[in-house]
Amino acid sequence: MYPYHYGPSGYAPHGYNPYAYGVVNDPGGYPTEASDPAVRQQELGVEWHEQEGPWRGIWRRRGNSNTFDATWTMPGAQAITAVLTIHMFGNFVYVLRQNSSDGNTCVYTGTLSGDGRTVSGNFRCIRGQGTWTATIIHRERARLGRIWHEQEGGWNGVWTRRGNSNVFDARWTMPGAQEITAVLTINIYGNNVQVLRRNSSDGNNCEYTGTLSGDGRTVTGTYRCTQGGGSWRATITF
């Protein structure tokens, strides 16, 4: 079984045909982005809930990249996994599916809705073709809050969000010690939290992982740095 059903194949606007040299061939170069790349990245969300025929797909984004880990399920069938690369050009969506557990490489094309929440279009695979739809989940943006009050050992951190992005400016203080600053990138997937700490004034890069509480207001977990590691906790202020 494969996650497709037969139907019309889809092609990009203005005669751009991603299948011109066969389904498995990447065109090798994409049109210029139609808007600020930062905006494009935000529109990718954190998770896509997709459907093609009887198959339901969950596509989960890797950090802030345009790479997604996808899983498709259907009652009575074995789950299928693949790695996706997603590009957006204006309202045109291009998805390249590779490393499929069923050996089926595909190209998906579609149109992004005006509100940036849904995509619909067509796909073509080594075996089969059809139509697909997806809903884009942006949930982590709302859950990031405005300020995180964090503690790790004797250090107290204040992490302040930059606008509506997932980038935070962080400061840590401890009596008798010099203040430390850094830039953080925070991602939330379900109740899992990932924090990447870079540009630290003490030269210490870190990765924090944690679990978000049921009410979405506190996080607890562990961190590992270039030098050292430990446990941490934070309270999110909205």
Side-chain angles (χ1 to χ4, degrees):
M1 299 294 292
Y2 303 101
Y4 63 78
H5 62 285
Y6 290 96
S9 60
Y11 296 94
H14 309 303
Y16 176 72
N17 181 356
Y19 316 122
Y21 301 101
V23 173
V24 299
N25 291 337
D26 188 326
Y30 300 99
T32 301
E33 292 282 3
S35 64
D36 186 333
V39 175
R40 298 285 86 188
Q41 288 297 87
Q42 289 181 14
E43 290 181 352
L44 288 176
V46 295
E47 192 171 277
W48 292 35
H49 295 177
E50 185 259 3
Q51 185 159 6
E52 47 192 88
W55 291 87
R56 294 182 180 273
I58 299 294
W59 303 354
R60 293 188 175 91
R61 187 176 178 186
R62 294 183 185 176
N64 291 320
S65 73
N66 66 334
T67 302
F68 286 67
D69 295 299
T71 301
W72 289 267
T73 57
M74 182 179 72
Q78 184 175 356
I80 295 172
T81 61
V83 177
L84 310 179
T85 306
I86 301 180
H87 297 270
M88 288 186 180
F89 315 107
N91 68 341
F92 172 59
V93 178
Y94 175 93
V95 182
L96 179 63
R97 167 179 157 184
Q98 297 175 301
N99 300 324
S100 296
S101 61
D102 63 352
N104 208 14
T105 297
C106 308
V107 169
Y108 298 70
T109 59
T111 302
L112 182 69
S113 63
D115 62 7
R117 295 183 179 277
T118 61
V119 181
S120 59
N122 304 276
F123 65 90
R124 188 169 181 176
C125 303
I126 296 174
R127 298 182 298 276
Q129 57 189 0
T131 60
W132 67 289
T133 60
T135 300
I136 303 175
I137 307 301
H138 299 271
R139 60 173 174 252
E140 94 288 6
R141 293 291 181 256
R143 301 167 75 191
L144 287 174
R146 309 308 313 170
I147 298 175
W148 292 38
H149 296 278
E150 185 259 3
Q151 187 168 11
E152 49 189 89
W155 292 89
N156 292 305
V158 177
W159 303 353
T160 304
R161 186 177 178 185
R162 294 184 185 176
N164 291 320
S165 73
N166 66 333
V167 177
F168 285 66
D169 295 298
R171 294 179 178 273
W172 290 267
T173 58
M174 183 173 69
Q178 184 175 355
E179 179 183 84
I180 296 173
T181 62
V183 177
L184 310 179
T185 304
I186 303 179
N187 293 297
I188 298 177
Y189 310 101
N191 67 339
N192 297 313
V193 178
Q194 177 199 52
V195 182
L196 298 178
R197 170 178 157 181
R198 299 292 184 266
N199 302 323
S200 297
S201 60
D202 62 353
N204 210 14
N205 291 330
C206 308
E207 179 175 359
Y208 299 71
T209 58
T211 303
L212 186 68
S213 63
D215 62 7
R217 296 186 176 277
T218 60
V219 182
T220 56
T222 60
Y223 65 91
R224 179 176 295 179
C225 302
T226 307
Q227 301 171 8
S231 59
W232 68 288
R233 62 177 291 110
T235 300
I236 303 174
T237 302
F238 290 87

